[in-house]
Amino acid sequence: MNETHGDTIMRVENLAVHFPMGGGLFGGQRRWLHAVDGVDLELKRGECLGLVGESGCGKSTLALSLLGLQAPTRGRIILDGHDVSGSAGKDRKDRARFAQMVFQDPYSSLNPRQTVRTTLEAPLRLHGVTSRSEIDDRIADVLKHVGLRTDQAERFPHEFSGGQRQRIGIARALILRPKIIILDEPVSALDVSIRAQIINLLLELKETLGLSYVMISHDLGVVEHMSDRVAVMYLGRIVETGGWETIFTNPQHPYTRALIAAIPDPFSRTTGVKITGEIPNPLNPPTGCGFHPRCPEARDICRIPPAPLLEAIAEDHLVRCRRVGEFA
């Protein structure tokens, strides 16, 4: 990838999503689960930003916030110059036309009782497209884009393979002609033989339709193939961002190094150590650097609060680590 892209289409500033835990009818102290804890991100027009990290690090909660499906506790989301952090009503519908999502599981994300046509028609009618000829044209056009025939619109989900169902999911995300697509593990539920087809389709659509992607994944092989830039997330925070080549050839955060070292590749590109242990409980996060309980490079300074800041070490390369620069 590593292409030059234009201006910023989405900016996230100090975004946090905290969930209250406890303190119900029978009392008890209320505690807060910090699912997302002060995220700053930028998505350039026409690029794919890979968002990576282990399960439970906050990636999906962040994605729901970007779509307006989860209200943030604080922070701002700016889409194409417009602050949509508190969108409601018409603004929420405008956001839906601007940003859509492709879900992980092509089996559970489609209504088994609805034909493909009904699935694609519903969002059009919700957003004011009522002309039968326009609806038919839009459905035919989007099915062509994802490699399906127009006559297949009359079928039900069970009549399709997993790869075809994911194509329908992509068509549903495209039907409102959004500018941003959030891809939530878009190929992880598919057979290996089908994954390359869907990845190539997504890359083709990005170029032909001028889309911008945020791709959530724990599969760094897919991220390396699709992404222009990469953001690494751990315990609700971004710990490293940079161009894909920088991240994969010169990772500076120990967590990023460990993720890359875990890629099944006999010709490993780093000397990182594989991660041990579990992600700490976000109800009781570690002091200082959140990664220090699992970090093979941790020192006493890493345990001292506050948490390290996300700081630039080169152009478009930011790292959250007090020992940055010490790793060859």
Side-chain angles (χ1 to χ4, degrees):
M1 309 301 289
N2 202 25
E3 301 171 1
T4 301
H5 296 276
D7 59 322
T8 299
I9 192 169
M10 180 181 70
R11 189 167 70 252
V12 177
E13 299 177 352
N14 194 31
L15 192 75
V17 180
H18 299 166
F19 297 108
M21 306 293 287
L25 291 174
F26 301 102
Q29 183 179 1
R30 172 165 288 189
R31 303 166 70 192
W32 293 89
L33 188 151
H34 293 196
V36 177
D37 200 17
V39 163
D40 294 292
L41 276 181
E42 197 173 78
L43 177 67
K44 299 293 186 182
R45 200 176 300 274
E47 80 169 355
C48 177
L49 173 66
L51 183 62
V52 303
E54 296 166 282
S55 297
C57 71
K59 304 187 302 295
S60 294
T61 302
L62 175 59
L64 293 175
S65 293
L66 299 180
L67 290 168
L69 301 176
Q70 173 61 57
T73 305
R74 69 166 189 270
R76 298 204 304 163
I77 302 169
I78 300 168
L79 295 179
D80 207 23
H82 301 285
D83 189 336
V84 297
S85 308
S87 291
K90 180 180 180 298
D91 291 336
R92 187 180 293 272
K93 291 179 69 174
D94 288 343
R95 195 200 297 207
R97 282 193 292 269
F98 196 83
Q100 282 289 319
M101 188 176 217
V102 174
F103 295 92
Q104 175 179 1
D105 188 350
Y107 294 91
S108 63
S109 63
L110 298 175
N111 188 330
R113 295 182 176 86
Q114 291 185 346
T115 64
V116 172
R117 176 176 296 281
T118 303
T119 295
L120 298 178
E121 185 175 324
L124 290 174
R125 291 194 176 278
L126 181 64
H127 287 264
V129 180
T130 57
S131 164
R132 170 51 61 186
S133 62
E134 183 177 356
I135 289 173
D136 289 344
D137 288 346
R138 293 273 287 266
I139 291 175
D141 183 61
V142 77
L143 289 176
K144 179 181 177 181
H145 274 302
V146 301
L148 295 173
R149 302 189 313 273
T150 303
D151 64 282
Q152 291 177 300
E154 311 308 325
R155 300 183 183 179
F156 290 88
H158 73 269
E159 300 179 73
F160 295 92
S161 67
Q164 289 175 319
R165 292 188 197 196
Q166 194 62 307
R167 290 174 187 267
I168 297 167
I170 294 169
R172 179 177 56 188
L174 293 175
I175 195 69
L176 294 177
R177 297 174 178 169
K179 297 297 182 184
I180 297 173
I181 300 289
I182 295 176
L183 306 167
D184 188 3
E185 303 276 9
V187 298
S188 64
L190 302 176
D191 292 340
V192 174
S193 59
I194 304 299
R195 291 183 185 184
Q197 296 178 23
I198 298 300
I199 289 171
N200 290 333
L201 171 64
L202 290 168
L203 289 173
E204 179 183 334
L205 291 170
K206 184 168 80 74
E207 297 303 318
T208 58
L209 301 180
L211 299 169
S212 305
Y213 289 158
V214 177
M215 189 182 68
I216 299 168
S217 182
H218 66 274
D219 186 335
L220 269 73
V222 174
V223 170
E224 183 179 16
H225 186 71
M226 285 193 63
S227 298
D228 300 293
R229 289 190 305 120
V230 179
V232 183
M233 194 169 185
Y234 185 79
L235 205 62
R237 291 175 172 161
I238 302 298
V239 297
E240 186 164 6
T241 65
W244 74 266
E245 189 171 11
T246 297
I247 295 298
F248 281 91
T249 62
N250 185 32
Q252 285 296 303
H253 195 283
Y255 181 60
T256 310
R257 292 163 63 83
L259 287 177
I260 294 173
I263 298 175
D265 184 353
F267 306 103
S268 179
R269 288 153 290 189
T270 72
T271 57
V273 179
K274 292 187 178 181
I275 310 169
T276 60
E278 302 292 332
I279 294 179
N281 186 344
L283 280 170
N284 186 28
T287 59
C289 172
F291 186 56
H292 81 72
R294 305 172 69 194
C295 180
E297 309 287 350
R299 302 294 184 268
D300 288 342
I301 191 174
C302 303
R303 301 172 175 84
I304 300 173
L309 300 175
L310 188 64
E311 298 182 314
I313 62 170
E315 185 177 357
D316 196 31
H317 190 186
L318 287 76
V319 183
R320 189 188 299 275
C321 180
R322 290 201 174 97
R323 301 191 62 211
V324 68
E326 297 182 28
F327 312 116

